[in-house]
């Protein structure tokens, strides 16, 4: 048989075997395979994880956990994961020691008190935070918002001084201090030098002899910098991977050291103290390089061993250099791997070696805190490292001549956890500014000090003398507030004489009441206010009150019927039928302008840079803006990630505060009760879902960045107060007594000035009383219940805008408006009635004697203002006028006037003539009001009432001479 025939025969046999296999497989009865429909889910573990798309991480859930299915924001429970019934012995038999797992989370000297249920949550990376020491009395900080501030000891207390870059420079990411010269690196990679309290851009300039790889100064962008140990030079790594050196500041002297062959410089690990020209860098691929300008070649690569390769490549970040760990001439460089392990590159007896120190069990290390010079005299070295979940560990390394430490690693890790209800920022090194005192940046924007008892804290200044032998080895935490730019309550220092002075503090002097405020006075309720609600905490069960609450049908219309566009010039009104009218003053004439849209509107939710944001009956967010010489509508809900909304910010910013930045955004509440951020700066419209606090949906926004920069205060549908930090993206629940339930209406922020954070949020309670949430630097947060003006009157509408930092209008159930104002540090009520009543008791009412409250009527000096024009034609039966005030949220019209809506559809303006004396200025007839009466002077009557439509069709209103005025709309927008 030939080879060809043999091959044909083998192929024939294989084909028959394959056919037999297929046939036998088809003969298998169906019962041979298990039915998938009969299989049941068998839970064999108590640990489950949920993937968070927003943060792109896995988060461990707490059992029992509801399995929820959501379709178009309609969520239903479809299952439940509960704890298994296995005993601890069964877990031990399977090698799962639950008790040991719990013990690993405990501090060596404490228990799990205060441990949050989201302890396993991996924190986001805060890329702009940094800490830099200038001296024992000065620490410079860059916050996650890109701000720069200094924490300075003025001799009496710690104060905070702002040093922000100019708006055009963008956000700061780090600060460097070289021989008392201060540099800052912006997020765009530009370098700035502080000169006479101003930031001046410093561009690198190289000599012609610099090697050809040097880039032009116009395109060099800095990534990070490190100051040498002698404090005379600074090294930078650029975004393109170059190593630069600034050896002299005045005049600047730059050197370009290039990059390693075939690699780049992603981070500067350290600079040795003995050999000042040696710099250790880490590439973006995780390799360690050594640069020595005096050797040839200048760049040397440190190869990793097989043991270190198992833990992954190095993380490009700053390490820590220690001398004398294994002998007088030994050098150790501690670094971190991408696997979260601590490794050491050690030079001893002219030989390099790698040593792996590992990490605490179930923890991933993310940063190393460098040592202090004074610590080199101790018997052992302590490295402080932060983890990806916000804890701080101390790794103790005793001094010895040997090289083996494996037998001591298990006892070397000490867990200092984190401050109560706060986490250390991931990947941000701490700052040791004194022996026994370490500063850490917190994930929520604040600072925390880990210190020995008696050596640190908020009220402890620099300590120069202490007995080392008597120092305790147990560290404690102290939380330090950050300035307003980071969304917290740290006030900036002032130039005024006193304890808050930026240069030299002076102790408190007695105030008018003879009391002395103590600097060490403890804030009331401070601990309760530090609870943060992580977005990673999985919650699916909503509070019953949240589900049961239903908004009235006209909730949007009454809360957002009126909107100011330009003070004293233009505002909008939305009628109950959904029509949009603008009351506009142009060329010495007041007129009405109608803005048509295909769908009826429900409210005007915001005003930004000449554009007004409306919501229609379907919850669609629309922008009315000028497009060239025409007016245009923009559908925001139709954009990517757009949602249907029910509410927005009550005010468009504090009166007189014109600040337009590249991060400007408006916040809205979706129909599903989530907080939505809509970016509007530079017309780069973008939606972002900020979600909602656990266990509650949102009802309304109380304040957006008027009371606190970067903070949005909201009320949940459970009647409780929350805040959202748009920088850290964290939710915070404010302490609130159980009996106090807030109404689901917008509120008002009140601050005496821009320079002080002292102020209040004013809201209504569910039973119609006025509630104040007050903050000052001495007592912290406190609730104050103002009640109602009298026993038979409740408050029925959101508060008015704040006037002069101490006056507020409220609308009563009797149709009168009431002024709540402060007179000589005492809150008083005053009844300002409504435009047509001139009777009333003019006696003041203080907080004392609340059961017999009297009212003071705001009298109008113009006797004709109280005359009912309708009486001119008493036989006219078509006139339906009710001059009492309607429960509609009022709006400011100028710094000293407020616009109210009357029950008959007209508008009324009240104006301040003295400190607390208000008069009704006029009543404005509207195109849809059934009452045409108005209180105007003769000149105003000749000009008032001009009505026009967008189609320029005249109405049956008072004539106006120039129809072209109807084409006027907004003033030109601000150009960034």
């Amino acid at each position: 048989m030939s080879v060809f025939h043999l091959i044909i025969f083998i192929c024939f046999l294989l084909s028959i075997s394959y056919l037999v296999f297929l046939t036998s497989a088809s003969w298998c009865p169906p019962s041979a395979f298990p039915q998938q429909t009969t299989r049941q889910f068998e839970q064999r573990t108590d640990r489950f994880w949920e993937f968070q798309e927003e943060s792109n991480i896995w988060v461990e859930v707490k059992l029992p956990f509801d399995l929820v299915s959501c379709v178009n924001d309609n969520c239903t429970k479809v299952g439940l994961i509960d704890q298994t019934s296995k005993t601890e012995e069964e877990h031990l038999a399977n090698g799962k020691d639950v008790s040991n797992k719990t013990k690993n989370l405990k501090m060596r000297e404490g228990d799990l008190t205060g441990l949050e249920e989201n302890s396993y949550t991996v924190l986001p990376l805060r890329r702009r935070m940094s800490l830099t020491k200038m001296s024992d009395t000065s620490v410079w900080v860059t916050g996650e918002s890109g701000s720069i501030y200094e924490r300075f000891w003025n001799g009496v207390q710690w104060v905070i001084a702002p040093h922000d870059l100019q708006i055009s420079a963008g956000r700061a990411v780090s600060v460097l201090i070289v021989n008392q010269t201060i540099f800052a690196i912006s997020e765009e990679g530009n370098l700035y030098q502080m000169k006479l309290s101003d930031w001046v851009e410093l561009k690198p300039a190289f000599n012609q002899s610099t090697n050809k790889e040097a880039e032009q100064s116009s395109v060099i962008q800095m990534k990070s910098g490190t100051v040498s140990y002698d404090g005379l030079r600074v090294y930078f790594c650029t975004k393109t991977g170059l190593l630069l050196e600034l050896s002299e500041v005045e005049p600047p002297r730059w050197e370009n050291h290039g990059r390693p062959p075939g690699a780049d410089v992603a981070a500067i690990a350290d600079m040795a103290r003995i050999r000042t020209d040696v710099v250790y860098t880490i590439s973006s691929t995780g390799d360690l390089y050594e640069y020595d300008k005096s050797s040839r070649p200048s760049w040397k690569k440190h190869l990793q061993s097989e043991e270190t390769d198992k833990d992954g490549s190095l993380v490009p970040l700053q390490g820590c250099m220690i001398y004398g760990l294994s002998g007088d001439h030994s050098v150790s460089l501690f670094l971190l791997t991408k696997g979260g392990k601590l490794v050491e590159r050690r030079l001893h007896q002219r030989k390099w070696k790698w040593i792996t120190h590992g990490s605490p069990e179930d923890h991933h290390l993310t940063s190393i805190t460098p040592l202090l010079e004074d610590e080199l005299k101790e018997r052992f070295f302590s490295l402080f490292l932060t983890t990806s979940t916000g804890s701080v560990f101390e790794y103790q390394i005793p001094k010895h001549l040997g090289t083996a430490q494996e037998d001591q690693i298990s006892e070397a890790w000490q867990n200092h956890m984190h401050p109560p209800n706060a986490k250390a920022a991931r990947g941000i090194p701490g700052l040791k500014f004194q022996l026994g005192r370490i500063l850490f940046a917190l994930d929520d924007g604040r600072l925390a000090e880990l210190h020995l008892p008696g050596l640190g804290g908020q009220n402890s200044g620099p300590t120069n003398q202490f007995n080392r032998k008597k120092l305790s080895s147990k560290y404690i935490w102290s939380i330090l507030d950050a300035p307003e730019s980071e969304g917290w309550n740290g006030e900036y220092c002032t130039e005024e004489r006193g304890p808050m002075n930026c240069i030299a503090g002076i102790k408190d002097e007695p105030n008018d009441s003879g009391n002395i405020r103590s600097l060490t006075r403890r804030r009331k309720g401070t601990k309760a206010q530090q609870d943060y609600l992580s977005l990673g905490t999985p919650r699916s069960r909503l509070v019953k009150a949240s589900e049961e609450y239903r908004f009235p049908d006209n909730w949007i219309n009454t809360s957002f019927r009126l909107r100011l566009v330009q003070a004293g010039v233009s505002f909008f009104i939305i009628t109950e039928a959904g029509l949009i009218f603008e009351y506009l003053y142009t060329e010495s004439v007041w007129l009405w302008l109608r803005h048509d849209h295909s769908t009826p509107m429900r409210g005007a939710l915001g005003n930004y840079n000449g554009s007004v944001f409306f919501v229609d009956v379907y919850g669609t967010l629309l922008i009315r803006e000028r497009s060239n010489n025409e007016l245009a509508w923009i559908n925001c809900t139709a954009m990517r990630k757009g949602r249907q909304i029910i509410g927005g910010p009550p005010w468009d910013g504090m009166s007189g505060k014109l600040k337009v930045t590249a991060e400007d955004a408006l916040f809205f509440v979706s129909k599903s009760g989530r907080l939505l951020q809509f970016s509007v700066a530079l017309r780069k419209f973008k939606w972002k879902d900020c979600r909602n606090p656990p266990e509650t949906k949102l009802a309304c926004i109380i304040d957006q960045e008027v009371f606190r920069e970067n903070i949005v205060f909201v009320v949940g549908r459970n009647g409780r107060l929350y805040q959202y930090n748009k920088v850290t993206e964290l939710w915070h629940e404010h302490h609130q007594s159980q009996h106090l339930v807030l109404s689901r209406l917008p509120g008002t922020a009140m601050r005496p000035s821009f320079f002080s954070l002292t102020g209040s949020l004013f809201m209504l309670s569910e039973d119609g009383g006025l509630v104040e949430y007050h903050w000052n630097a001495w007592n912290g947060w406190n609730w104050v219940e103002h009640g109602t003006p009298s026993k038979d009157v409740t408050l029925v509408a959101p508060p008015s805008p704040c006037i002069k930092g101490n006056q507020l209008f409220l609308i009563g159930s009797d149709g009168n408006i009431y002024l709540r104002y402060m007179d000589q540090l005492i809150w008083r009520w005053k009844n300002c009635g409504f435009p047509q009543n001139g009777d009333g008791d003019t006696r003041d009412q203080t907080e004392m004697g609340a059961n017999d409250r009297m009212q003071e009527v705001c009298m109008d000096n113009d006797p004709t203002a109280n005359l009912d024009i309708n009486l001119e034609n008493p036989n006219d039966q078509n006139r339906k006028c009710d001059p009492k005030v309607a429960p509609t949220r009022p709006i400011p019209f100028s710094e000293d006037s407020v616009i109210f809506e009357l029950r008959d559809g007209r508008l009324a303006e009240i104006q301040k003539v003295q400190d607390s004396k208000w008069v009704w200025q006029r009543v404005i007839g509207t195109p849809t009001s059934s009452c045409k009466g108005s209180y105007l002077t003769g000149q105003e009557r000749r000009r008032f009432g001009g009505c026009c439509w967008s189609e320029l069709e005249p109405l049956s209103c008072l004539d106006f001479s120039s129809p072209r005025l109807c084409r006027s709309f907004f003033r030109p927008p601000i150009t960034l």
Side-chain angles (χ1 to χ4, degrees):
M1 182 181 292
S2 64
V3 176
F4 175 77
H5 292 88
L6 180 61
I7 295 175
I8 295 297
F9 180 74
I10 293 174
C11 294
F12 176 76
L13 291 178
L14 291 176
S15 62
I16 293 177
S17 301
Y18 182 71
L19 180 61
V20 172
F21 172 78
L22 292 179
T23 306
S24 62
S26 64
W27 289 345
C28 295
S31 60
F33 293 93
Q35 294 288 340
Q36 296 294 331
T37 56
T38 61
R39 297 184 64 183
Q40 295 182 354
F41 171 71
E42 183 179 358
Q43 181 178 336
R44 298 190 177 186
T45 181
D46 283 334
R47 302 189 67 184
F48 292 85
W49 285 263
E50 179 184 24
F51 185 72
Q52 301 289 341
E53 295 183 0
E54 293 80 359
S55 55
N56 198 30
I57 60 174
W58 288 94
V59 180
E60 186 172 5
V61 300
K62 182 181 179 182
L63 302 184
F65 180 74
D66 292 336
L67 298 176
V68 179
S69 174
C70 294
V71 179
N72 296 328
D73 294 330
N74 184 17
C75 299
T76 58
K77 177 181 175 181
V78 296
L80 173 69
I81 300 179
D82 205 347
Q83 295 178 344
T84 64
S85 58
K86 286 187 177 183
T87 63
E88 185 175 353
E89 288 75 11
E90 291 175 320
H91 283 285
L92 290 173
N94 294 331
K96 301 177 181 179
D97 190 345
V98 179
S99 62
N100 288 337
K101 179 69 67 175
T102 304
K103 291 179 181 178
N104 288 333
L105 296 175
K106 295 183 179 180
M107 296 179 62
R108 292 185 178 274
E109 62 276 276
D111 53 16
L112 278 173
T113 303
L115 182 65
E116 299 177 12
E117 58 188 23
N118 59 338
S119 298
Y120 291 101
T121 302
V122 177
L123 300 177
L125 189 60
R126 309 297 186 187
R127 300 184 182 275
R128 305 184 193 97
M129 290 182 175
S130 70
L131 301 169
T132 306
K133 177 182 176 181
M134 172 182 277
S135 65
D136 286 345
T137 61
S138 175
V139 175
W140 289 61
V141 184
T142 59
E144 182 61 17
S145 69
S147 66
I148 302 175
Y149 62 93
E150 177 187 7
R151 191 168 183 263
F152 173 69
W153 178 260
N154 65 3
V156 175
Q157 69 179 51
W158 291 100
V159 295
I160 296 177
H163 301 291
D164 290 340
L165 295 174
Q166 51 267 31
I167 295 179
S168 60
R171 300 171 174 176
V173 295
S174 64
V175 172
L176 305 168
I177 301 176
V178 185
N179 195 20
Q180 302 301 315
T181 302
I182 305 172
F183 297 95
I185 300 177
S186 70
E187 195 170 30
E188 289 74 19
N190 299 322
L191 181 64
Y192 294 87
Q193 178 182 353
M194 177 171 280
K195 293 184 177 180
L196 300 176
S197 301
D198 292 325
W199 292 104
V200 179
E201 186 174 359
L202 180 64
K203 295 184 177 181
F206 303 97
N207 298 328
Q208 295 180 354
S209 60
T210 306
N211 97 43
K212 296 181 180 180
E213 196 180 12
E215 301 182 10
Q216 297 297 326
S217 60
S218 59
V219 296
I220 289 182
Q221 295 178 315
M222 305 298 182
K223 183 179 180 181
S224 62
T226 305
V227 180
S228 62
Y229 284 106
D230 56 16
L232 301 178
R233 294 166 298 140
V234 57
Y235 288 85
F236 298 93
C237 64
T238 68
K239 292 187 176 182
T240 56
L242 295 177
L243 178 65
L244 306 182
E245 178 185 353
L246 180 62
S247 55
E248 294 182 11
V249 177
E250 295 294 342
R253 181 182 175 184
W254 290 90
E255 294 183 59
N256 184 358
H257 301 302
R259 56 170 65 90
D264 61 356
V265 178
I268 300 173
D270 211 297
M271 288 173 291
R273 284 180 296 233
I274 297 177
R275 300 176 59 191
T276 57
D277 294 334
V278 177
V279 181
Y280 296 94
T281 66
I282 301 176
S283 67
S284 57
T285 57
D287 295 318
L288 178 66
Y289 289 88
E290 175 184 335
Y291 175 78
D292 186 354
K293 68 170 68 175
S294 62
S295 65
R296 292 293 180 269
S298 300
W299 290 98
K300 299 178 183 178
K301 182 178 180 180
H302 288 249
L303 299 177
Q304 295 194 36
S305 63
E306 295 181 0
E307 184 179 359
T308 56
D309 283 338
K310 296 178 181 178
D311 296 323
S313 55
L314 300 176
V315 180
L317 49 73
Q318 183 180 3
C320 179
M321 182 74 74
I322 299 179
Y323 288 88
L325 185 61
S326 299
D328 293 337
H329 301 288
S330 65
V331 179
S332 298
L333 177 60
F334 287 87
L335 302 167
L336 296 179
T337 67
K338 292 183 179 178
K341 308 294 184 181
L342 177 66
V343 296
E344 175 189 354
R345 184 60 166 164
R346 180 182 300 176
L347 175 62
H348 183 56
Q349 295 179 353
R350 298 184 179 182
K351 293 182 179 180
W352 285 101
K353 67 178 299 185
W354 287 98
I355 299 176
T356 301
H357 294 268
S359 64
E361 186 177 357
D362 299 324
H363 286 280
H364 187 284
L365 303 177
T366 59
S367 70
I368 305 175
T369 299
L371 298 175
L372 281 175
E373 292 286 344
D374 293 342
E375 292 183 270
L376 302 180
K377 302 177 183 179
E378 296 291 336
R379 294 177 301 171
F380 57 86
F381 301 110
S382 288
L383 292 180
F384 288 84
L385 306 101
T386 60
T387 69
S388 59
T389 56
S391 296
V392 175
F393 279 85
E394 179 184 358
Y395 184 63
Q396 294 184 346
I397 312 172
K399 290 186 177 180
H400 58 284
L401 297 178
T403 59
Q405 297 183 11
E406 288 77 11
D407 57 336
Q408 302 175 14
I409 292 178
S410 59
E411 300 179 359
W413 296 103
Q414 294 188 14
N415 190 354
H416 295 288
M417 301 294 286
H418 46 75
N421 309 307
K423 300 289 186 67
R426 168 190 166 196
I428 307 301
L431 177 66
K432 292 186 177 181
F433 70 101
Q434 276 196 311
L435 184 62
R437 304 181 68 176
I438 312 172
L439 283 180
F440 288 93
L442 295 182
D443 182 65
D444 58 29
R446 295 174 293 178
L447 301 178
E449 184 177 345
L450 182 64
H451 58 91
L452 299 174
L455 286 185
Q458 175 65 39
N459 301 311
S460 176
T463 305
N464 298 322
Q465 297 180 355
F466 49 84
N467 190 339
R468 294 177 182 236
K469 295 182 179 180
K470 295 182 179 181
L471 290 179
S472 171
S473 60
K474 181 179 179 180
Y475 283 84
I476 60 176
W477 285 100
S478 294
I479 294 183
L480 315 173
D481 273 348
E484 180 188 12
S485 61
E486 303 309 306
W488 276 95
N489 299 313
E491 295 190 5
Y492 289 125
C493 58
T494 64
E495 298 179 358
E496 300 177 358
R497 175 186 175 92
M500 284 290 292
N501 186 270
C502 294
I503 305 299
I506 300 175
K507 293 184 178 181
D508 278 326
E509 298 177 355
N511 55 26
D512 296 337
S513 60
N515 297 325
I516 299 179
R517 296 179 298 182
S518 173
L519 290 174
T520 60
R521 181 176 179 181
R522 184 178 181 181
R523 292 181 181 175
K524 297 179 180 179
T526 301
K527 183 177 180 180
Q529 303 309 322
Q530 295 172 350
D531 298 335
Y532 257 80
L533 306 173
S534 172
L535 288 177
T537 305
R539 304 269 186 155
S540 58
R541 299 180 303 276
L542 300 178
V543 175
K544 185 177 180 180
S546 173
E547 292 291 347
E548 292 179 350
Y549 184 81
R550 294 293 181 270
F551 291 97
D553 294 337
N554 63 341
W555 185 89
I556 300 178
N557 196 242
T558 57
S559 298
F560 301 99
R561 183 191 299 267
L562 301 170
R563 201 84 197 187
L564 178 68
V565 177
Q566 187 173 355
V569 176
S570 172
F571 65 85
F572 276 89
I573 181 173
I574 312 298
T575 67
E576 293 183 359
L579 302 177
I580 308 173
F581 290 97
E582 178 191 4
Y583 194 50
L584 180 66
Y585 184 77
T586 178
E587 297 187 15
S588 302
V589 175
W590 284 103
L591 55 90
W592 284 100
L593 174 67
R594 175 174 169 177
H595 299 263
D596 286 333
H597 192 265
S598 57
T599 58
M601 292 295 158
R602 279 292 174 260
L605 302 184
N607 168 30
Y608 176 81
N609 199 20
S611 299
V612 182
F613 294 76
F614 295 92
V615 58
D616 66 8
V617 292
Y618 302 108
T620 304
L621 181 66
L622 301 161
I623 301 179
R624 184 64 161 168
E625 68 171 13
R626 177 191 294 273
S627 179
N628 296 325
N629 293 326
E630 302 295 332
L631 299 177
W633 289 97
I634 299 178
N635 189 333
C636 302
T637 300
M639 297 179 183
R640 183 174 178 268
K641 295 184 179 181
R643 302 288 182 89
Q644 293 178 323
I645 60 176
I646 60 171
W651 312 113
D652 302 309
M654 186 177 290
S655 178
K657 184 178 181 180
L658 297 177
K659 183 180 179 181
V660 179
T661 67
E663 276 90 41
D664 285 351
L666 295 181
F667 285 83
F668 302 97
V669 178
S670 70
K671 280 189 175 181
S672 59
R674 301 163 80 96
L675 184 66
L676 304 178
Q677 180 178 342
F678 186 67
S679 298
V680 293
L682 303 176
R683 293 185 56 80
K684 297 179 180 179
F685 301 132
K686 181 180 179 181
W687 285 99
K688 177 181 178 181
D689 186 0
C690 303
R691 305 176 68 178
N692 50 276
E695 297 190 346
T696 186
K697 295 180 180 180
L698 298 186
C700 66
I701 296 176
I702 295 296
D703 175 69
Q704 178 191 326
E705 299 187 82
V706 175
F707 192 62
R708 289 291 182 272
E709 190 175 351
N710 298 323
I711 291 295
V712 181
F713 289 92
V714 300
V715 169
R717 297 185 186 178
N718 57 2
R720 305 192 69 81
L721 180 66
Y722 301 87
Q723 76 176 41
Y724 174 77
N725 189 320
K726 76 174 189 180
V727 174
T728 61
E729 301 180 355
L730 293 175
W731 284 97
H732 169 53
E733 180 178 7
H734 285 271
H735 176 72
Q736 186 175 331
S737 61
Q738 295 297 325
H739 80 278
L740 177 59
V741 180
L742 300 175
S743 69
R744 286 71 167 178
L745 295 174
T748 294
M750 177 180 288
R751 281 172 64 178
S753 68
F754 300 124
F755 306 103
S756 174
L757 299 185
T758 298
S760 303
L761 293 173
F762 283 90
M763 300 155 281
L764 298 187
S765 63
E766 194 175 42
D767 56 2
L770 179 62
V771 178
E772 175 188 3
Y773 193 43
H774 179 75
W775 188 91
N776 62 61
W778 306 105
N779 299 318
W781 288 104
N782 284 288
W783 288 96
V784 180
E785 297 190 48
H786 293 258
T788 59
S790 61
K791 293 181 178 180
D792 55 348
V793 174
T794 59
L795 305 177
V796 295
S800 77
C802 167
I803 308 295
K804 299 300 182 182
N806 61 358
Q807 299 180 49
L808 199 69
F809 282 108
L810 288 308
I811 301 175
S813 56
D814 57 355
N816 295 332
I817 67 169
Y818 295 87
L819 178 66
R820 188 62 166 169
Y821 69 103
M822 181 173 287
D823 181 24
Q824 297 180 353
L825 301 180
I826 299 177
W827 283 104
R828 302 176 185 271
W829 287 103
K830 182 180 291 186
N831 184 356
C832 293
F834 51 90
Q836 293 187 33
N837 81 326
D839 302 325
D841 197 327
T842 59
R843 289 175 289 180
D844 284 338
Q845 161 63 30
T846 65
E847 289 293 346
M848 300 179 62
N851 294 332
D852 299 320
R853 289 181 176 177
M854 297 298 177
Q855 302 164 355
E856 178 177 341
V857 177
C858 298
M859 299 297 295
D860 196 325
N861 292 332
D862 184 4
T864 63
N866 293 318
L867 297 178
D868 189 352
I869 292 184
N870 294 321
L871 296 180
E872 296 176 0
N873 299 310
N875 297 325
D876 190 350
Q877 301 296 329
N878 295 324
R879 299 208 172 175
K880 300 178 181 179
C881 297
D882 186 354
K884 290 189 176 182
V885 182
T888 301
R889 183 178 64 91
I891 61 170
F893 192 53
S894 66
E895 293 185 357
D896 298 321
S897 65
V898 181
I899 296 290
F900 293 86
E901 184 185 23
L902 303 182
R903 291 179 178 177
D904 54 28
R906 296 175 298 169
L907 304 177
E909 178 184 358
I910 192 170
Q911 188 171 13
K912 185 170 72 71
V913 294
Q914 294 179 4
D915 290 341
S916 60
K917 187 173 182 60
W918 294 77
V919 297
W920 288 103
Q921 183 70 13
R922 58 175 175 165
V923 172
I924 305 170
T926 59
T928 59
S929 174
S930 59
C931 176
K932 305 302 180 182
S934 301
Y935 311 131
L936 301 167
T937 62
Q939 184 178 7
E940 287 174 327
R941 289 178 187 176
R942 289 192 296 270
R943 295 178 178 177
F944 169 74
C947 300
C948 65
W949 306 87
S950 56
E951 298 86 2
L952 302 183
E953 296 180 4
L955 300 177
S956 58
C957 303
L958 298 181
D959 294 333
F960 55 91
S961 59
S962 180
R964 64 182 177 82
L965 295 177
C966 296
R967 298 188 179 93
S968 300
F969 187 52
F970 300 121
R971 297 296 174 262
I974 301 173
T975 302
L976 289 176

